[in-house]
C-alpha cells in the first residue's frame, strides 16, 4: 500500500513539475522580446528651446539653404519620433538672462550656443550647467559631440560640460593654419608646402628661404611691388601664438605639484616672435586683410582661421572665401621650429570659439534631455556632414583634408583672456609691437608677466584640464 501511495505521489509530483515547466515556458514565449526592439518614448507636449546669439546661423529660415532645410527636417523628425518640439531662438552668450528668468521663478532654455570667451565659466560658477556625463543616453565618446581636444575648454573641475554639434554641416574652426595659392605657386615655378612637408623639410630653417624664392620669382614675373609672399590675415600676435605652438610649446605648462606657469615665457617663445620679426624686416611677412590673398591674389600664403578655407554655405557672402574662388588652393600647418618637430601642431582653438551647454533649470528631466540630444545632434544625413563635404567637394588634395583633420584632432587651446585676463591683452599688444620692431621681445613679455602669473594662480588651478598634446 505504501509502495502504491508512493508511486501515486511520485506521478503527482512529476505532473506538477511538468505543468510548472510548461507554464513557465509558455510565459517566456508570450513575453519574449527581441533585443533590438526600441521602447516607445512619448515626450508629447514637451517643447525644447535652444538659444543662440547667432540663431539664424544655426537654424536659418525654411527654404533659405540646403543646410537649414536639413535642420528643420531634423526637428520635424524629432516630433514624429518622440512627440516633442524644438526651436532655436535669439539668446545672449552669457549668464545674466538665464539667471534673471530663474530668479523670477521661470524655467529657462534647455541648450545654449555660446560664443562669449567667458560664457561657459560664468554659467558654471553660477551652477547653471549640467555635466554631460550626468545625462542619461549620452555617450561622450561619440564624435558627434566633438573630439576631445576641440571641446577641452568645456571641461571644468574634471567634468565635461561643453559640446559641439560636430556631425552637422558646421565645420569646427581653429586658428594657426596657412592657406596657399597652389596655382600662383605653380605659375611661379615654386613647389608647394605639401612637398616640403612630405620630405619633412617644412620647418623654420627652410621657411625664410622659401619665402625669399617666392619674392624673387614674383618680381621676375612682373608682380607689383605690393605683392608679399606671406601675409597675416588677422594679427601678428595671433600668428606668433601658432609659431610658439609649432616650436613645441604649450600656453600653460603644468610644472608638477599643482603648479602652473605661462609656457610661452621662455627662450623658445621669444624665438618665435624674433623669427616673425626677421620675416617682417625682410619684407616677406606683413599683416593685411584676407581679401589681399583671397580675391586680389597679391600674396602667395596667408595665415588665418580655417574658416577662410572651408566656408561653403550657399546664399551668403561666400564669394569672400576660398571655396568660391576659381583657383586651386591648399592648407597646411605652420612650419615647425627648432624646439618642435614634424608632429608639432600650430593650430589652436581661439578662446571665443563656440560651444553648446545644457542648462540646469529648464524644468526637463535629464533623461528627456539626453534622448533629444542624442537624436538631434546625430548626423543630418548619410553624407558625413562637413567631414565628407570637405574631402569630396572643398579641398583639392587628400593632404589638405588630412592636415585639417590631424590639426583638429590634436588642436591646442588658447586660454587667452578666458584664464589670463587683462594680462593677456597686455601681452598681445606687446607681441604685436615686437613683431614690427617697436618693442623688444623681452619687454613684451615682462610688461605682462606679473598680471599673467596672478591670473594663472587665480583661475587655472581650479579649472585647467591638461589633456596633453597628441594623446
Amino acid at each position: 500500500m505504501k509502495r502504491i501511495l508512493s508511486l501515486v505521489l511520485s506521478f503527482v509530483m512529476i505532473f506538477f513539475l511538468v505543468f510548472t515547466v510548461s507554464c513557465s515556458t509558455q510565459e517566456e514565449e508570450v513575453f519574449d522580446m527581441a533585443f533590438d526592439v526600441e521602447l516607445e518614448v512619448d515626450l508629447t507636449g514637451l517643447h525644447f528651446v535652444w538659444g543662440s546669439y547667432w540663431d539664424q546661423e544655426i537654424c536659418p529660415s525654411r527654404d533659405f539653404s540646403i543646410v537649414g532645410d536639413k535642420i528643420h527636417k531634423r526637428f520635424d523628425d524629432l516630433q514624429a519620433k518622440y512627440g516633442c518640439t524644438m526651436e532655436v531662438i535669439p539668446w545672449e552668450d552669457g549668464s545674466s538672462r538665464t539667471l534673471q528668468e530663474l530668479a523670477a521663478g521661470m524655467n529657462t532654455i534647455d541648450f545654449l550656443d555660446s560664443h562669449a570667451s567667458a560664457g561657459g565659466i560664468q554659467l558654471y560658477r553660477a551652477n547653471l550647467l549640467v555635466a554631460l556625463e550626468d545625462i542619461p543616453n549620452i555617450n561622450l565618446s561619440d564624435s558627434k559631440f566633438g573630439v576631445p581636444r576641440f571641446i577641452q575648454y568645456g571641461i571644468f573641475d574634471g567634468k565635461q560640460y561643453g559640446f559641439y554639434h560636430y556631425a552637422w554641416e558646421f565645420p569646427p574652426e581653429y586658428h594657426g593654419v596657412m592657406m596657399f595659392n597652389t596655382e600662383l605657386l605653380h605659375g611661379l615655378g615654386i613647389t608647394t608646402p605639401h612637398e616640403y612637408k612630405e620630405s619633412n623639410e617644412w620647418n623654420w630653417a627652410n621657411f625664410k628661404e622659401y619665402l625669399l624664392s617666392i619674392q624673387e620669382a614674383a618680381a621676375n614675373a612682373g608682380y607689383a611691388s605690393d605683392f608679399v609672399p606671406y601675409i597675416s590675415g588677422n594679427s601678428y600676435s595671433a600668428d606668433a601664438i601658432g609659431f610658439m605652438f609649432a616650436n613645441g610649446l604649450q600656453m600653460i605648462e603644468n610644472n608638477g605639484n599643482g603648479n602652473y606657469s605661462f609656457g610661452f615665457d621662455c627662450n623658445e617663445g621669444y624665438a618665435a616672435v624674433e623669427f616673425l620679426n626677421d620675416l617682417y624686416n625682410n619684407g616677406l611677412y606683413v599683416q593685411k586683410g584676407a581679401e589681399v590673398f583671397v580675391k586680389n591674389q597679391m600674396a602667395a600664403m596667408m595665415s588665418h582661421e580655417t574658416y577662410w578655407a572651408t566656408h561653403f554655405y550657399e546664399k551668403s557672402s561666400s564669394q569672400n572665401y576660398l571655396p568660391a574662388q576659381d583657383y586651386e588652393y591648399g592648407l597646411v600647418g605652420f612650419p615647425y621650429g627648432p624646439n618642435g618637430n614634424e608632429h608639432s601642431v600650430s593650430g589652436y582653438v581661439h578662446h571665443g570659439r563656440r560651444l553648446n551647454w545644457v542648462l540646469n533649470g529648464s524644468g526637463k528631466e535629464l533623461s528627456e534631455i539626453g534622448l533629444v540630444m542624442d537624436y538631434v545632434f546625430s548626423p543630418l544625413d548619410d553624407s558625413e556632414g562637413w567631414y565628407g563635404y570637405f574631402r569630396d567637394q572643398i579641398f583639392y588634395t587628400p593632404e589638405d583634408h588630412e592636415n585639417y583633420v590631424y590639426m583638429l584632432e590634436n588642436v591646442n587651446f588658447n586660454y587667452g583672456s578666458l584664464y589670463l585676463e587683462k594680462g593677456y591683452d597686455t601681452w598681445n599688444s606687446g607681441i604685436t609691437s615686437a613683431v614690427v620692431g617697436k618693442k623688444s621681445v623681452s619687454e613684451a613679455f615682462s610688461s605682462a608677466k606679473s598680471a599673467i602669473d596672478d591670473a594663472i594662480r587665480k583661475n587655472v588651478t581650479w579649472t585647467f584640464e591638461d589633456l596633453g598634446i597628441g594623446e
Side-chain angles (χ1 to χ4, degrees):
M1 183 69 180
K2 290 181 180 180
R3 182 179 177 83
I4 295 174
L5 183 60
S6 176
L7 288 171
V8 171
L9 289 173
S10 297
F11 282 122
V12 170
M13 291 176 65
I14 291 171
F15 173 81
F16 276 105
L17 179 62
V18 171
F19 178 81
T20 303
V21 171
S22 175
C23 290
S24 175
T25 302
Q26 289 177 352
E27 288 177 356
E28 288 179 359
E29 290 177 351
V30 170
F31 294 102
D32 186 33
M33 295 181 65
F35 288 110
D36 59 352
V37 172
E38 184 175 334
L39 295 176
E40 282 193 24
V41 176
D42 187 2
L43 302 181
T44 301
L46 292 182
H47 182 63
F48 291 84
V49 181
W50 186 4
S52 173
Y53 185 76
W54 288 356
D55 56 300
Q56 284 298 308
E57 184 186 64
I58 283 186
C59 188
S61 303
R62 290 182 187 267
D63 300 324
F64 177 80
S65 68
I66 295 174
V67 174
D69 289 346
K70 289 179 182 179
I71 296 167
H72 282 287
K73 182 180 185 306
R74 175 55 51 83
F75 292 166
D76 293 341
D77 292 345
L78 174 71
Q79 185 172 10
K81 183 177 179 66
Y82 292 133
C84 58
T85 56
M86 187 170 189
E87 69 172 328
V88 179
I89 66 170
W91 202 266
E92 66 168 20
D93 276 333
S95 60
S96 59
R97 182 175 177 183
T98 300
L99 286 170
Q100 289 171 2
E101 289 197 344
L102 293 175
M106 303 166 58
N107 290 329
T108 190
I109 60 176
D110 303 280
F111 308 104
L112 174 65
D113 168 59
S114 178
H115 301 70
S117 60
I121 283 184
Q122 289 175 357
L123 295 163
Y124 177 74
R125 285 174 168 166
N127 196 32
L128 293 176
L129 296 183
V130 178
L132 301 187
E133 59 202 73
D134 296 335
I135 302 176
N137 306 304
I138 295 302
N139 178 10
L140 280 177
S141 65
D142 193 324
S143 63
K144 68 186 176 187
F145 298 116
V147 294
R149 289 200 63 84
F150 186 76
I151 59 173
Q152 66 176 308
Y153 64 110
I155 297 175
F156 302 129
D157 288 337
K159 283 193 170 186
Q160 183 74 51
Y161 290 86
F163 68 96
Y164 184 82
H165 38 63
Y166 186 84
W168 280 20
E169 266 76 355
F170 299 102
E173 299 159 11
Y174 54 90
H175 217 298
V177 297
M178 287 182 177
M179 291 144 272
F180 55 89
N181 188 324
T182 304
E183 292 186 18
L184 187 153
L185 290 172
H186 283 166
L188 296 175
I190 303 294
T191 58
T192 68
H194 287 334
E195 295 170 80
Y196 276 80
K197 196 169 186 297
E198 185 178 355
S199 59
N200 193 23
E201 295 179 330
W202 189 236
N203 53 45
W204 293 7
N206 296 317
F207 188 56
K208 180 180 177 181
E209 295 302 317
Y210 181 64
L211 296 181
L212 285 169
S213 68
I214 296 174
Q215 184 184 61
E216 181 180 4
N220 292 337
Y223 277 79
S225 59
D226 55 347
F227 177 89
V228 181
Y230 164 42
I231 68 167
S232 170
N234 187 33
S235 74
Y236 292 123
S237 60
D239 289 348
I241 291 171
F243 273 92
M244 291 178 197
F245 284 131
N247 203 22
L249 301 179
Q250 290 293 291
M251 179 170 276
I252 295 179
E253 291 285 353
N254 184 344
N255 301 323
N257 300 319
N259 296 318
Y260 300 87
S261 64
F262 188 42
F264 290 165
D265 191 359
C266 59
N267 290 333
E268 293 78 12
Y270 303 164
V273 184
E274 291 165 351
F275 182 69
L276 287 177
N277 172 248
D278 182 53
L279 298 182
Y280 175 86
N281 290 337
N282 283 276
L284 303 173
Y285 168 69
V286 67
Q287 181 185 336
K288 290 191 175 184
E291 189 173 88
V292 170
F293 170 77
V294 175
K295 298 185 72 174
N296 300 340
Q297 299 189 61
M298 290 301 290
M301 307 182 68
M302 177 181 75
S303 49
H304 212 307
E305 296 180 56
T306 56
Y307 185 77
W308 294 89
T310 61
H311 188 70
F312 61 88
Y313 302 121
E314 63 273 51
K315 295 186 181 179
S316 70
S317 57
S318 59
Q319 67 271 15
N320 294 322
Y321 303 97
L322 286 168
Q325 310 308 313
D326 60 1
Y327 60 84
E328 184 178 345
Y329 65 92
L331 179 144
V332 70
F334 290 1
Y336 64 87
N339 192 60
N341 57 49
E342 66 272 22
H343 303 297
S344 297
V345 174
S346 59
Y348 62 91
V349 183
H350 28 320
H351 63 268
R353 212 62 263 145
R354 69 200 306 169
L355 278 189
N356 289 277
W357 316 88
V358 179
L359 297 189
N360 179 20
S362 69
K364 309 291 197 311
E365 296 290 335
L366 290 185
S367 59
E368 298 167 344
I369 290 175
L371 285 170
V372 170
M373 283 181 64
D374 184 61
Y375 185 76
V376 167
F377 295 109
S378 295
L380 293 175
D381 54 30
D382 296 327
S383 68
E384 299 180 276
W386 59 264
Y387 184 95
Y389 197 81
F390 280 9
R391 182 193 60 222
D392 302 332
Q393 303 292 330
I394 295 297
F395 290 130
Y396 283 86
T397 70
E399 290 86 356
D400 298 316
H401 190 259
E402 291 167 5
N403 288 337
Y404 174 90
V405 173
Y406 178 78
M407 283 189 281
L408 174 64
E409 292 177 344
N410 297 278
V411 74
N412 301 288
F413 178 58
N414 172 14
Y415 294 87
S417 57
L418 178 62
Y419 291 89
L420 307 183
E421 298 181 344
K422 293 182 178 179
Y424 177 74
D425 297 330
T426 301
W427 180 78
N428 251 308
S429 177
I431 293 303
T432 295
S433 297
V435 169
V436 299
K438 294 182 177 179
K439 183 179 290 189
S440 70
V441 179
S442 59
E443 185 182 0
F445 275 85
S446 62
S447 63
K449 179 175 176 54
S450 178
I452 288 178
D453 288 346
D454 287 344
I456 289 175
R457 283 191 292 271
K458 173 184 175 184
N459 296 319
V460 172
T461 54
W462 69 278
T463 57
F464 178 72
E465 184 75 6
D466 182 9
L467 296 183
I469 188 68
E471 292 183 358

